[in-house]
């Protein structure tokens, strides 16, 4: 028994095949020695070790099997090679639909013919699928097939011209399925926010697992699966490149301009997605996706004596930050964290706080988008002149270089704008202190990194530090140098 691609009816399909195969075996008075079920093995992929087909061949070779029964030839074999393999093992074959019966020469001939046809059908099917996907991409329709996390299933044969529905964003979207699905959609948005605010893939995976969410295949979230979601342009309403492009490293260099805009409701802006893509492409992050410093300032603050970063540690039972190079500077962690948190909360609570998180140099996003479109048009114009022989490629090279440089610059600026965008919510919240305290340490660290350079100096001997809270705060303030970014 074999079932592929028909995911929704998979179990039913197998059950029905079993019923019919058993009925045939009974009528011929054959004893069923074993059932071989290949679930979800695509007809265009090889059936290697671990598949039921492989086990069947092994058993047949060992003489455990005299006759192989299947509903029809498609369920049993996909190529002449499959058929030849069975014949060479001396196994007889019978199908419920009567097409195959390898007990006669005539039957054997027809089997050969049928296998040839089956092979042709496989080739045609994958060609059809490929063409359908290609066409879907050019129409901006999401691929059908496995459901994407955060979205409902796409209806089969979806067209961008089907009936419309009103999205949560108030806009009209085609009603072909693939609608934002709660609570997953919110988790995806939160995941992008967290990533851009400095959270690790591991902590996002933890968060999604804690919300009781699984992958669409029912698995627990792992950092690699989270990465696959957060690097997928689909969530920005952009059409993914074909699979062949996807697998190459070139994927990271795909600009926003290379991806056609889809016709489904996005969960994040293209700028947010591009910023996430840039972060995930950072080799430092790739090599060490799980390491999350647990302390607010470790790796962020620098040593006032030598300029190295400060790391967390414990000295005589007291939690401290100490110079990562030598033992010439250590100071209490709790006091430093408390002071920095108070500074951040105070600064972000001021009326002019919004100005801090907005990139002062970033011009209006809409204007940037318009400029990007114009630059892309310019590039296309130059290329089309080359194509029509109106100018040579070497003559066009300089202007192409200019326009591509401009496109690169604009894309970088737009990514940055997306990043600043997600740091804003803290400022926008009515209660900065409560919002800060609700953040996990990854996000708190990202905010500190955005706002401040922290340089630590010696606090002096322990006995000199005042005991009461306000005095300690003042003492800490006097021995930690801050620079606003
Ligand atoms: Zn030092």
């Amino acid at each position: 028994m074999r079932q592929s691609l028909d995911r929704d009816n998979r179990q039913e399909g197998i059950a029905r095949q079993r019923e019919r195969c058993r009925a045939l075996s009974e009528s011929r008075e054959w004893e069923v020695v074993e059932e071989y079920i290949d679930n979800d093995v695509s007809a265009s992929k090889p059936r290697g070790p671990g598949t039921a087909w492989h086990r069947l061949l092994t058993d047949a070779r060992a003489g455990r099997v005299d006759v192989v029964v299947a509903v029809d030839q498609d369920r049993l074999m996909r190529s002449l090679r499959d058929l030849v393999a069975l014949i060479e093992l001396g196994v007889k074959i019978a199908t419920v639909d009567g097409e195959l019966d390898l007990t006669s020469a005539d039957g054997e001939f027809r089997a050969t013919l049928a296998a040839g046809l089956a092979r042709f059908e496989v080739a045609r099917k994958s060609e059809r699928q490929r063409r359908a996907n290609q066409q879907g991409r050019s129409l901006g329709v999401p691929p059908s097939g496995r459901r994407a996390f955060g979205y409902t299933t796409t209806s089969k044969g979806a067209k961008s011209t089907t009936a419309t529905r009103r999205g949560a964003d108030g806009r009209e979207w085609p009603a072909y399925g693939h609608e934002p699905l709660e609570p997953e959609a919110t988790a995806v948005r939160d995941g992008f926010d967290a990533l851009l605010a400095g959270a690790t893939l591991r902590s996002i995976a933890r968060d999604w697992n804690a919300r009781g969410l699984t992958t669409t295949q029912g698995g627990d979230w792992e950092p690699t699966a989270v990465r696959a979601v957060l690097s997928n342009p689909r969530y920005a309403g952009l059409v993914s490149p074909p699979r062949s492009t996807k697998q190459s490293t070139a994927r990271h260099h795909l600009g926003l301009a290379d991806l056609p805009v889809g016709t489904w409701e996005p969960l994040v802006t293209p700028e947010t997605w591009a910023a996430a893509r840039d972060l995930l492409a950072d080799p430092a992050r790739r090599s060490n996706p799980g390491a999350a410093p647990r302390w607010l300032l470790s790796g962020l603050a620098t040593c006032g004596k030598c300029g190295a970063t400060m790391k967390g540690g414990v000295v005589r039972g007291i939690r401290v930050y100490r110079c990562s190079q030598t033992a010439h500077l250590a100071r209490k962690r709790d006091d430093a964290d408390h002071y920095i948190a108070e500074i951040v909360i105070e600064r972000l609570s001021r009326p002019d706080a919004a100005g801090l998180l907005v990139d002062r140099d970033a011009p209006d996003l809409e204007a940037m988008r318009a400029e990007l479109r114009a630059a892309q048009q310019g590039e296309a114009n130059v290329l089309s002149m080359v194509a029509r022989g109106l100018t040579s490629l070497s003559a066009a090279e300089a202007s192409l270089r200019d326009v591509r440089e401009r496109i690169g610059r604009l894309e970088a600026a737009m990514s940055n704008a997306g990043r600043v965008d997600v740091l804003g919510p803290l400022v926008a919240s009515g209660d900065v202190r409560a919002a800060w305290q609700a953040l996990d340490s990854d996000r708190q660290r990202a905010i500190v990194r955005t706002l401040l350079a922290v340089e630590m100096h010696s606090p002096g001997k322990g006995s000199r530090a005042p005991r009461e809270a306000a005095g300690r705060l003042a003492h800490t303030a006097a021995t930690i140098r801050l620079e606003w970014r």
Side-chain angles (χ1 to χ4, degrees):
M1 288 156 265
R2 184 171 69 81
Q3 186 78 28
S4 73
L5 298 175
D6 191 10
R7 293 196 169 86
D8 297 334
N9 299 316
R10 181 162 53 204
Q11 290 314 317
E12 193 188 18
I14 292 292
R16 182 88 188 101
Q17 288 176 46
R18 175 186 288 121
E19 205 175 284
R20 298 175 68 197
C21 289
R22 290 230 168 226
L24 176 68
S25 306
E26 219 162 275
S27 72
R28 302 276 189 101
E29 299 186 328
W30 292 330
E31 181 199 355
V32 177
V33 292
E34 184 73 63
E35 285 183 356
Y36 302 90
I37 305 173
D38 267 335
N39 231 339
D40 212 6
V41 174
S42 167
S44 55
K45 288 192 186 116
R47 292 184 285 185
T51 61
W53 169 256
H54 192 261
R55 200 156 50 79
L56 166 64
L57 292 183
T58 310
D59 286 353
R61 204 169 288 125
R64 278 194 70 206
V65 175
D66 299 316
V67 182
V68 177
V69 178
V71 168
D72 54 46
Q73 83 259 359
D74 281 349
R75 301 296 168 190
L76 181 61
M77 63 187 72
R78 303 171 315 190
S79 67
L80 275 174
R81 197 177 303 158
D82 287 353
L83 182 65
V84 170
L86 286 174
I87 292 171
E88 282 178 350
L89 288 169
V91 177
K92 288 173 185 165
I93 303 165
T95 59
V96 175
D97 66 5
E99 278 294 309
L100 283 182
D101 188 357
L102 285 199
T103 51
S104 67
D106 176 52
E108 200 166 320
F109 169 73
R110 286 202 299 150
T112 310
L113 203 65
L117 284 173
R119 184 174 57 169
F120 172 69
E121 186 55 32
V122 166
R124 206 174 52 170
K125 208 156 149 190
S126 66
E127 168 69 12
R128 217 164 35 217
Q129 185 66 41
R130 203 177 57 76
R131 260 206 318 270
N133 282 344
Q134 209 167 36
Q135 192 190 18
R137 261 197 302 278
S138 67
L139 287 173
V141 174
S144 51
R146 183 169 286 138
R147 184 175 79 78
F149 183 69
Y151 285 107
T152 59
T153 316
T154 311
S155 354
K156 276 201 172 124
K159 296 267 190 311
S160 57
T161 50
T162 46
T164 61
R165 62 175 184 86
R166 190 165 296 278
D169 55 0
R171 293 171 60 188
E172 294 264 327
W173 298 101
Y176 47 47
H178 204 270
E179 300 168 23
L181 177 68
E182 295 298 352
E184 293 180 357
T186 297
V188 170
R189 288 192 194 95
D190 291 350
F192 274 101
D193 284 0
L195 180 77
L196 294 176
T200 59
L201 292 169
R202 188 169 300 282
S203 75
I204 296 168
R206 236 185 348 251
D207 174 42
W208 289 358
N209 286 329
R211 297 185 194 199
L213 301 173
T214 64
T215 66
T216 50
Q217 287 156 287
D220 281 346
W221 284 101
E222 299 283 340
T224 48
V226 174
R227 170 190 287 277
V229 168
L230 298 183
S231 55
N232 193 336
R234 181 198 294 256
Y235 295 103
L238 300 171
V239 179
S240 291
R243 197 169 288 278
S244 54
T245 328
K246 214 186 267 184
Q247 279 161 350
S248 75
T249 52
R251 187 179 190 201
H252 290 300
H253 305 303
L254 283 173
L256 290 177
D258 299 322
L259 301 173
V261 177
T263 55
W264 62 90
E265 186 174 349
L267 298 183
V268 298
T269 66
E271 291 76 31
T272 294
W273 170 76
R277 174 205 55 187
D278 292 349
L279 260 180
L280 291 173
D282 182 354
R285 174 178 275 272
R286 177 174 288 274
S287 64
N288 198 4
R294 286 163 300 152
W295 295 4
L296 185 63
L297 301 172
S298 48
L300 288 184
T302 54
C303 167
K305 286 192 169 150
C306 72
T309 55
M310 302 291 283
K311 63 175 184 179
V314 177
V315 173
R316 285 191 294 277
I318 297 169
R319 297 184 294 185
V320 298
Y321 288 116
R322 57 181 172 190
C323 178
S324 57
Q325 289 305 307
T326 43
H328 57 190
L329 178 61
R331 57 178 303 149
K332 283 182 189 163
R333 171 207 163 184
D334 293 349
D335 283 351
D337 283 2
H338 176 58
Y339 169 60
I340 296 298
E342 287 300 320
I343 285 282
V344 167
I345 291 165
E346 155 68 15
R347 184 67 190 89
L348 292 181
S349 301
R350 286 193 215 159
D352 65 343
L356 276 177
L357 292 184
V358 173
D359 187 347
R360 270 167 243 106
D361 302 327
D364 180 59
L365 258 187
E366 269 315 308
M368 279 200 284
R369 280 201 194 105
E371 204 184 332
L372 180 62
R373 272 194 299 273
Q376 286 160 353
Q377 190 55 51
E379 183 188 27
N381 288 347
V382 173
L383 287 173
S384 113
M385 280 173 73
V386 174
R388 283 181 292 152
L390 296 176
T391 181
S392 71
L393 189 55
S394 56
E397 243 170 21
S399 46
L400 268 181
R401 206 170 37 239
D402 280 357
V403 78
R404 282 182 176 154
E405 225 173 77
R406 210 167 89 209
I407 289 173
R409 237 188 7 259
L410 280 166
E411 285 188 352
M414 287 165 79
S415 297
N416 190 25
R419 184 164 188 172
V420 168
D421 200 32
V422 294
L423 288 172
L426 191 69
V427 175
S429 76
D431 186 343
V432 174
R433 182 176 296 276
W436 167 266
Q437 281 160 358
L439 295 177
D440 59 31
S441 66
D442 290 334
R443 301 191 62 172
Q444 291 181 341
R445 285 168 52 81
I447 286 171
V448 170
R449 194 187 293 122
T450 308
L451 289 177
L452 282 169
V454 180
E455 189 182 274
M456 292 188 171
H457 294 269
S458 169
K461 293 286 171 228
S463 56
R464 272 197 267 151
R467 290 191 171 251
E468 84 285 9
R472 280 189 19 199
L473 203 58
H475 177 77
T476 307
T479 50
I480 290 182
R481 211 172 71 79
L482 302 180
E483 197 176 312
W484 296 98
R485 290 197 205 275

